[in-house]
Structures are given as structure tokens and as C-alpha cells.
Amino acid sequence: METSKTVRLRLRFYEDVNESIDQVRQKFENFAQESTSDFKISVCENHIWMNIVGEKKKYWSPHLHIELEPIKNQTHIRALFGPDQTLWTFFMFLHFVVAGVFIIFGMMLYSNISLKQSYANDLLVMGLMVIVWFLLYFIARQIRSNGYGQMDELEALFQKILK
């Protein structure tokens, strides 16, 4: 997958394997037991999580979530790259704060217009919140682009385990 050439917000890929779910899961469990210190693999039923750990882990390091689905005599694999959970939670918190400030000042704007009072400050703050939203978006895109190399590493490890 060409991670740097995609425009999707959440990078994902799919693969069909001519093995049962148990066989695929066993490959990941075996690799997790003999794994290197750079990667951590967690297996829980039909879900597998691959994380980068140790010295290679940065705040922008991605993780790979793999879901196994049975299809006749095959296994359909859905893989989804995601940000670190702590970073994602922080960004969601910031988005909620910005949205809350925007809504509060929107209500104040409506009140001031209704009362025929000055509302320039309300418009200014709401405009700043829109700018902050765009800023958060571009920061998130930059953080994701920092992780492209590690996404490729995780996908290469995924392919190595399946072979």
C-alpha cells in the first residue's frame, strides 16, 4: 500500500488468505512469542493489534488493528492503521473544547444580536475557533505523515507473518 499517496483519513487494507482463522491467528500468536523488542502483538479472538514499542516508538507511531472474518474456506483480513490511543484521545479532547467554545460564543452572538449589543468579539472568537479546527486538521495530517515509514514497517511485518 502506498501510504504517502492516499487521501483517506484512516488508512486500511484488505486481504484474503486461503487458510482458516485459527491457522492465521496461530501464526500471529507464534510470532508474538518469538517477537523482537520493536513490535508488540496482542491477539484476542478474531482481533489482532500490532504496536511499535521500545526505542522506535514515538508519539506519532501508528498501530495496526487486524480483524479476521471467515469466508467459506478462506479468511478475510481487514487491517486498519490508527494513531496512538493517547494522542487520539488528546486530539478528540481538543476538538470537543474547540466545538464547545464555538457553540457557547454562538449562543452569546445570538443573544447579543437579539439585545442589539455589540457582537464583534463573539464573531472574532468563533472565527478563531474555525481557524483552530483547520490548524488541528493540518497538525493531524503532519503527524500521520511522520508515521508513514512505520506504517510500511507494520505492513511488511504483517506480510512476513502471513507467509
Side-chain angles (χ1 to χ4, degrees):
M1 176 175 69
E2 300 250 351
T3 53
S4 60
K5 300 203 189 297
T6 183
V7 293
R8 289 181 284 196
L9 292 176
R10 307 258 336 249
L11 300 174
R12 62 187 76 222
F13 62 93
Y14 307 97
E15 189 162 330
D16 291 325
V17 180
N18 290 324
E19 297 175 355
S20 71
I21 285 182
D22 293 331
Q23 292 171 320
V24 173
R25 185 183 321 117
Q26 191 60 46
K27 286 182 179 182
F28 282 94
E29 288 174 350
N30 291 343
F31 189 85
Q33 292 173 352
E34 60 192 45
S35 172
T36 64
S37 61
D38 291 341
F39 301 99
K40 178 184 174 200
I41 298 175
S42 304
V43 179
C44 180
E45 294 182 11
N46 293 349
H47 297 272
I48 301 166
W49 291 270
M50 297 172 66
N51 297 304
I52 295 174
V53 295
E55 294 179 15
K56 291 177 74 175
K57 182 171 177 57
K58 307 291 184 208
Y59 72 93
W60 40 260
S61 292
H63 74 274
L64 179 62
H65 174 241
I66 301 165
E67 185 177 353
L68 308 174
E69 297 178 352
I71 299 178
K72 296 183 183 176
N73 295 330
Q74 293 183 329
T75 299
H76 179 70
I77 299 173
R78 296 170 171 257
L80 175 67
F81 288 102
D84 181 67
Q85 289 85 356
T86 307
L87 182 65
W88 185 85
T89 303
F90 177 67
F91 263 82
M92 290 308 298
F93 170 76
L94 291 178
H95 279 282
F96 284 121
V97 167
V98 169
V101 170
F102 185 86
I103 290 170
I104 289 169
F105 276 88
M107 290 186 297
M108 290 171 54
L109 173 73
Y110 177 75
S111 296
N112 287 336
I113 289 173
S114 298
L115 296 172
K116 297 185 181 358
Q117 294 181 352
S118 172
Y119 54 86
N121 289 338
D122 301 331
L123 281 176
L124 176 69
V125 172
M126 290 176 70
L128 287 174
M129 291 303 105
V130 171
I131 292 170
V132 170
W133 264 324
F134 281 110
L135 185 63
L136 285 173
Y137 172 77
F138 289 114
I139 290 171
R141 295 280 301 191
Q142 180 60 43
I143 288 172
R144 185 175 82 176
S145 70
N146 289 344
Y148 284 159
Q150 291 184 336
M151 285 182 201
D152 292 335
E153 286 180 43
L154 285 170
E155 186 176 6
L157 179 65
F158 166 80
Q159 295 296 338
K160 177 183 169 186
I161 294 171
L162 282 183
K163 302 293 179 217

